[in-house]
């Protein structure tokens, strides 16, 4: 689905260098690496259904998209943080043109009505699941834990981990993990290794869709992109959580691209600081080994990584050359 969306966006309109660098950064990002490693987790299902929901919202099928979101929350409560914000963003952008966007317009009667229609069922479901976990799930923890311990090849630690993952409530995890929230968000390896490429993706979106003319829209999409990082307060799988904003920004890019009307007259070359920013982000997503689950890392050596990225630099050079000629031609005109 990601490749289908990307292919359509690439062939639908003339590509700027911002668009190319955004997509390159995304497809090299830690989210793609984790997607391969997380086979068996429900993140794939959540994001696949999110794509479907955005597609339905773009076609004004609000009630159907709300029902699917509700179903997804029953699959995994994490959907509330990953799916709901970006879906609301899609609904808002579908109703308000990028040029006329403002926070004030979000609170118009029409938008509030549609947001309410979309949010009521998922919100009630999330509250219901949370209450259910608080009241009943402690009994299920003991049941699952004792069952797993009876299996000879399952040790006590993984038995406890699996039982907790399926039964412990948000309040339990918040109490256990929230003390590390600030450290995980601002003072960790993820802050640098993931944070810089995420900020680069934000900057590419800012330039591609000319959001200097609408700072309020940029603030909203930045907030939407960083909402998944709230999960640092209830979960300890730090690197997995840091990878979520990449996919959220990809969806933001898709949503804005479907509504944005490009002005071919406004073309400029990349600034030196933007090139440096890109190189830093590019090297972080390509040369730094990603920490995976179970204390594993990617198996590519540094030499292998360098050999792999050299062709990318060569391709970028040849893409940039004709772009430079085009900019010169537009200046002459």
């Amino acid at each position: 689905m990601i490749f289908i969306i990307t292919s359509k966006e690439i062939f639908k309109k003339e590509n700027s260098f911002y668009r190319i660098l955004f997509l390159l950064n995304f497809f090299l990002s830690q989210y793609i690496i984790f997607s391969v490693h997380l086979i068996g987790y429900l993140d794939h299902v959540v994001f696949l259904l999110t794509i479907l929901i955005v597609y339905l919202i773009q076609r004004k099928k609000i009630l159907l998209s709300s029902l699917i979101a509700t179903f997804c929350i029953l699959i995994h409560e994490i959907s509330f943080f990953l799916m709901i914000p970006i879906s609301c963003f899609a609904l808002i952008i579908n109703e308000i043109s990028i040029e006329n966007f403002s926070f004030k317009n979000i609170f118009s009667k029409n938008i509030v009505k549609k947001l309410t229609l979309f949010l009521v069922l998922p919100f009630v479901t999330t509250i219901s699941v949370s209450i259910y976990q608080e009241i009943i799930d402690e009994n299920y923890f003991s049941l699952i834990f004792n069952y797993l311990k009876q299996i000879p090849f399952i040790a006590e630690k993984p038995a406890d981990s699996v039982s907790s993952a399926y039964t412990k409530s948000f309040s339990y995890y918040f109490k256990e993990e929230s003390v590390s929230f600030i450290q995980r968000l601002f003072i960790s390896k993820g802050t640098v290794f993931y944070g810089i490429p995420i900020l680069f993706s934000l900057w590419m979106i800012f330039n591609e869709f000319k959001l200097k003319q609408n700072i309020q829209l940029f603030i909203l999409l930045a907030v939407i992109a960083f909402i998944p990082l709230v999960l640092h307060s209830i979960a300890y799988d730090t690197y997995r959580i840091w990878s979520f904003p990449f996919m959220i920004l990809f969806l933001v890019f898709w949503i804005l691209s479907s509504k944005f009307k490009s002005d071919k007259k406004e073309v400029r070359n990349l600034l030196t600081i933007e090139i440096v920013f890109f190189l830093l982000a590019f090297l972080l997503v390509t040369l730094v080994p990603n920490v995976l689950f179970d204390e594993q890392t990617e198996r590519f050596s540094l030499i292998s990584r360098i050999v792999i990225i050299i062709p990318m630099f060569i391709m970028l050079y040849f893409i940039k050359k004709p772009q430079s000629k085009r900019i010169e031609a537009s200046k002459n005109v």
Side-chain angles (χ1 to χ4, degrees):
M1 289 305 301
I2 289 172
F3 273 109
I4 289 170
I5 291 169
T6 303
S7 299
K8 286 185 175 181
E9 292 305 319
I10 285 175
F11 292 111
K12 187 168 66 175
K13 59 188 73 174
E14 185 177 359
N15 286 294
S16 70
F17 221 61
Y18 299 119
R19 178 177 293 261
I20 292 168
L21 294 186
F22 172 85
L23 292 171
L24 178 63
N25 189 60
F26 171 71
F27 279 103
L28 292 171
S29 72
Q30 294 91 337
Y31 173 76
I32 300 297
I33 302 300
F34 260 98
S35 294
V36 176
H37 192 62
L38 290 177
I39 299 300
Y41 281 74
L42 297 173
D43 302 355
H44 303 308
V45 180
V46 171
F47 279 122
L48 184 62
L49 289 175
T50 303
I51 291 173
L52 176 59
I53 287 172
V54 171
Y55 176 84
L56 291 171
I57 287 174
Q58 289 174 338
R59 280 145 188 82
K60 301 186 180 296
K61 299 183 184 297
I62 309 300
L63 182 57
L64 180 56
S65 62
S66 177
L67 289 171
I68 294 172
T70 302
F71 174 71
C72 200
I73 286 171
L74 292 172
I75 293 174
H76 200 315
E77 310 93 301
I78 200 175
S79 305
F80 188 83
F81 299 94
L82 299 183
M83 172 187 287
I84 300 301
I86 188 63
S87 299
C88 290
F89 179 80
L91 195 154
I92 291 167
I93 296 301
N94 201 50
E95 298 296 325
I96 307 173
S97 66
I98 294 177
E99 295 76 19
N100 298 326
F101 177 88
S102 70
F103 290 130
K104 182 180 178 181
N105 288 340
I106 294 177
F107 296 99
S108 67
K109 186 177 179 180
N110 179 50
I111 302 296
V112 170
K113 183 179 177 181
K114 291 187 176 182
L115 283 173
T116 303
L117 177 63
F118 175 76
L119 287 172
V120 167
L121 282 175
F123 185 77
V124 170
T125 303
T126 303
I127 296 298
S128 301
V129 168
S130 299
I131 293 173
Y132 177 84
Q133 288 177 328
E134 294 287 348
I135 297 173
I136 300 175
D137 273 9
E138 190 63 36
N139 296 327
Y140 285 110
F141 171 83
S142 301
L143 187 66
I144 296 173
F145 179 73
N146 291 329
Y147 171 76
L148 292 175
K149 277 189 66 178
Q150 293 174 7
I151 301 174
F153 59 82
I154 297 181
E156 183 172 337
K157 186 176 179 181
D160 179 78
S161 177
V162 170
S163 303
S164 296
Y166 276 97
T167 61
K168 294 297 184 181
S169 64
F170 276 133
S171 63
Y172 170 84
Y173 278 115
F174 183 77
K175 183 179 178 182
E176 293 288 317
E177 304 297 333
S178 60
V179 292
S180 303
F181 176 70
I182 299 299
Q183 180 266 324
R184 290 168 179 167
L185 193 59
F186 297 107
I187 320 167
S188 67
K189 289 181 180 179
T191 309
V192 177
F193 295 160
Y194 291 61
I196 291 174
I198 289 169
L199 290 175
F200 175 76
S201 295
L202 272 170
W203 183 244
M204 292 298 98
I205 288 176
F206 180 84
N207 285 290
E208 172 65 16
F209 300 108
K210 301 175 175 60
L211 296 182
K212 186 177 181 180
Q213 302 167 14
N214 198 328
I215 296 297
Q216 292 185 59
L217 177 57
F218 180 69
I219 292 171
L220 177 63
L221 72 86
V223 170
I224 296 294
F226 284 112
I227 282 177
L229 298 183
V230 173
L231 293 169
H232 283 309
S233 65
I234 60 172
Y236 52 82
D237 41 356
T238 303
Y239 293 104
R240 173 191 176 203
I241 293 169
W242 269 110
S243 71
F244 291 147
F246 288 105
M247 184 58 187
I248 299 297
L249 284 172
F250 177 81
L251 294 172
V252 165
F253 185 90
W254 173 37
I255 293 164
L256 291 179
S257 184
S258 65
K259 298 283 288 185
F260 182 71
K261 297 177 181 178
S262 62
D263 185 355
K264 292 185 178 180
K265 293 180 181 178
E266 293 186 24
V267 182
R268 73 168 177 84
N269 215 335
L270 288 173
L271 301 174
T272 302
I273 192 170
E274 290 174 328
I275 295 173
V276 172
F277 196 6
F278 162 69
L279 289 174
L280 180 58
F282 183 80
L283 293 176
L284 285 173
V285 295
T286 53
L287 296 187
V288 177
N290 286 292
V291 179
L292 306 172
F293 281 163
D294 306 319
E295 299 179 354
Q296 297 182 58
T297 56
E298 295 174 82
R299 297 177 181 175
F300 293 102
S301 67
L302 180 60
I303 299 298
S304 300
R305 292 169 184 272
I306 292 173
V307 170
I308 290 170
I309 67 174
I310 286 174
M312 295 182 193
F313 276 113
I314 295 172
M315 285 187 288
L316 286 172
Y317 172 76
F318 284 106
I319 291 172
K320 192 174 186 300
K321 262 185 96 174
Q323 188 213 36
S324 301
K325 292 179 181 178
R326 191 170 70 252
I327 291 170
E328 289 299 323
S330 66
K331 286 180 180 177
N332 293 332
V333 171

